[in-house]
Amino acid sequence: EPPADAEHLYAIVYSGSLLASWTPGQSGPESWQLLSVFPAAGSGSWGLPATQTGFVLHDAFIASGSTLLLQTVDASGMLSAGVETTVLTEPRLRISEVSFSTASGSGAWIEIENTGEQQTDLAAFHFGIGRALVGIGEDDEEVPVEPGGFLVLDIPDGIHANDEEISLLFADTMIDHISLADVPVGVSIGRSESGSIL
């Protein structure tokens, strides 16, 4: 039987770099992963360790609508069918509003705004608060945000307003952040288009 495919493959081009993340398929000794992009960029394909969960290609010239294909390769050289995703180019997302209603952090929320011209699935994104990392999507759930749209997310209880900052992340890359020192308890704060606190 062919080896198991990876899951939850997502890819974006951000600030000129191709960023991809996924959950590897089950793999045995001497297995590996083959990542390919169509149309080809640079070498067009890369061999990766079986346990690798992400990939970064700097100075990537990826056309809008390009496809990323990830396959598992077992010790005998047999390829899985592969999982693919359309590469999202230069998503324009920002943290537009934050609220901490109590000092304990309960009832807190964060609002994400899509300022771009393309629908963006936030399933592969996370937000970091202090040392906590919180996923936006679960399993195969899509979390679409339309152009000009907003998404409000609950912040887990126990996150305090005196933590350093909230960051919006794709894999390990920071897309946006806001200092929590500027967030008074009991008041929601927003940001202007220039990024200044309102």
Side-chain angles (χ1 to χ4, degrees), residues 18-192:
L18 172 65
L19 311 173
S21 69
W22 63 86
T23 303
Q26 295 178 350
S27 56
E30 299 181 26
S31 61
W32 52 285
Q33 299 177 97
L34 178 65
L35 182 68
S36 306
V37 62
F38 305 97
S43 67
S45 62
W46 303 269
L48 307 172
T51 56
Q52 190 160 327
T53 61
F55 180 79
V56 177
L57 177 65
H58 297 291
D59 299 322
F61 298 97
I62 308 293
S64 178
S66 294
T67 299
L68 204 65
L69 173 67
L70 180 64
Q71 296 170 284
T72 305
V73 187
D74 67 15
S76 69
M78 181 177 288
L79 287 165
S80 68
V83 59
E84 63 180 41
T85 188
T86 300
V87 180
L88 179 66
T89 55
E90 300 296 342
R92 295 181 58 193
L93 302 167
R94 69 184 196 128
I95 300 168
S96 54
E97 194 167 355
V98 176
S99 174
F100 280 88
S101 58
T102 65
S104 67
S106 62
W109 50 267
I110 175 176
E111 180 184 78
I112 306 298
E113 179 183 9
N114 181 1
T115 63
E117 298 180 355
Q118 55 189 334
Q119 184 188 73
T120 302
D121 183 4
L122 295 182
F125 290 78
H126 296 78
F127 61 91
I129 307 174
R131 295 181 180 177
L133 188 64
V134 181
I136 294 176
E138 296 182 4
D139 298 324
D140 292 325
E141 175 190 12
E142 292 186 359
V143 189
V145 181
E146 299 296 329
F150 299 84
L151 177 69
V152 176
L153 304 164
D154 292 330
I155 295 174
D157 291 350
I159 304 294
H160 301 284
N162 59 359
D163 284 327
E164 294 180 4
E165 67 178 18
I166 293 180
S167 303
L168 178 64
L169 307 163
F170 182 93
D172 295 328
T173 300
M174 183 184 298
I175 306 299
D176 192 28
H177 68 97
I178 186 171
S179 170
L180 293 182
D182 298 323
V183 184
V185 172
V187 177
S188 70
I189 62 145
R191 296 167 76 192
S192 67

